[in-house]
Amino acid sequence: MEIKSSIKIEDGISVLAYPDYLQSLNGVDRIGYFVDGSLWMPFVVRKKSFLKWIELYSPVFGAKSVEAERTFLNQCVKKCREDFNVSHIISTNTALFDCYPDEAIYCKWGSYVVDLTQSEEQLFNALHSKHRNVIRKAASNGLLIFRGKEYARDVVSLMNETSARQGDKYTFGDKFIENLNKLGDNADWWIVKDADGNIHGSAIFLWSKGASCYY
């Protein structure tokens, strides 16, 4: 196994493996990729005060079996111990595996995928009735949806208001916008406005061609 600072990203690979996405994360000291033959996985190194740790944001790419994945993950842990002076390794809720490395503290985690190739009617009917009613009400009240990079500051402003209301001191700023915009068409900024121009909601969608989209 080797550590690479970059890797060729092809269509069909999750945007969470893109170097520009990993660099956009708060508090990242460096990024890299575990590589062993056709198997690979990105990682980030974080630092805070005297602590340093590794975080994983995507699954193992190229694994043909559970055992191949387990062997790869064990090699990753060994490589971390040999090459990085880190206190621990964390797998986030977007890095879903079919197994876990030896001696890991783990838990079962469920997620789901929505097939966006379905028709708009199929997607709408699959929503919970509560959400369908909210959407119908928003439409009847004249709320409008806008998409574009020119709305990035509006999105971030609403995110910061929400964070402050929840007691979070961290704020998103120009660097956050700049980093996500490096993803080009793979990062979409959306807002919801009423007829008077007041913003009622916002969202960021991160996606990659032939793969998946994250909200």
Side-chain angles (χ1 to χ4, degrees):
M1 172 172 285
E2 57 182 324
I3 301 292
K4 292 188 176 182
S5 58
S6 63
I7 195 169
K8 183 180 179 182
I9 304 293
E10 300 176 347
D11 288 347
I13 297 298
S14 166
V15 69
L16 303 185
Y18 284 38
D20 286 332
Y21 169 75
L22 297 172
Q23 291 283 14
S24 74
L25 299 170
N26 180 42
V28 170
D29 183 59
R30 63 167 286 191
I31 71 169
Y33 295 84
F34 297 110
V35 181
D36 184 26
S38 61
L39 280 70
W40 61 279
M41 180 175 62
F43 68 89
V44 303
V45 179
R46 290 185 180 275
K47 286 183 178 180
K48 187 175 183 180
S49 299
F50 299 104
L51 286 178
K52 184 168 72 170
W53 68 95
I54 282 179
E55 287 188 3
L56 308 175
Y57 283 84
S58 62
V60 177
F61 295 100
K64 303 296 184 182
S65 67
V66 173
E67 282 310 309
E69 183 179 274
R70 190 190 308 278
T71 299
F72 181 84
L73 291 174
N74 281 329
Q75 289 177 328
C76 290
V77 172
K78 181 180 178 182
K79 195 69 173 174
C80 288
R81 288 171 173 165
E82 292 173 347
D83 292 17
F84 299 98
N85 183 26
V86 295
S87 59
H88 56 286
I89 305 169
I90 296 176
S91 171
T92 64
N93 58 16
T94 55
L96 303 178
F97 307 112
D98 291 320
C99 59
Y100 53 89
D102 297 341
E103 302 177 6
I105 299 174
Y106 70 95
C107 67
K108 292 184 178 181
W109 179 269
S111 187
Y112 63 91
V113 176
V114 177
D115 180 6
L116 297 180
T117 64
Q118 300 177 83
S119 68
E120 183 178 336
E121 181 181 7
Q122 288 175 310
L123 291 169
F124 186 77
N125 289 335
L127 295 174
H128 190 281
S129 59
K130 175 183 177 181
H131 301 308
R132 292 199 301 269
N133 290 335
V134 169
I135 292 172
R136 291 190 183 102
K137 182 179 179 182
S140 65
N141 288 340
L143 293 181
L144 300 173
I145 298 174
F146 299 88
R147 169 198 174 203
K149 297 191 186 303
E150 63 268 31
Y151 301 109
R153 291 186 184 280
D154 291 326
V155 173
V156 166
S157 176
L158 199 60
M159 290 168 61
N160 286 335
E161 287 180 20
T162 303
S163 295
R165 191 166 57 248
Q166 295 174 343
D168 191 344
K169 295 181 179 179
Y170 178 76
T171 57
F172 300 90
D174 291 341
K175 189 63 177 178
F176 175 77
I177 296 174
E178 178 186 339
N179 286 336
L180 286 190
N181 280 340
K182 288 180 181 177
L183 289 169
D185 293 337
N186 299 107
D188 278 340
W189 306 85
W190 297 71
I191 61 170
V192 180
K193 288 184 177 183
D194 60 26
D196 295 324
N198 300 309
I199 301 175
H200 288 255
S202 66
I204 302 172
F205 290 97
L206 304 177
W207 64 281
S208 48
K209 185 177 180 181
S212 50
C213 177
Y214 294 85
Y215 161 73

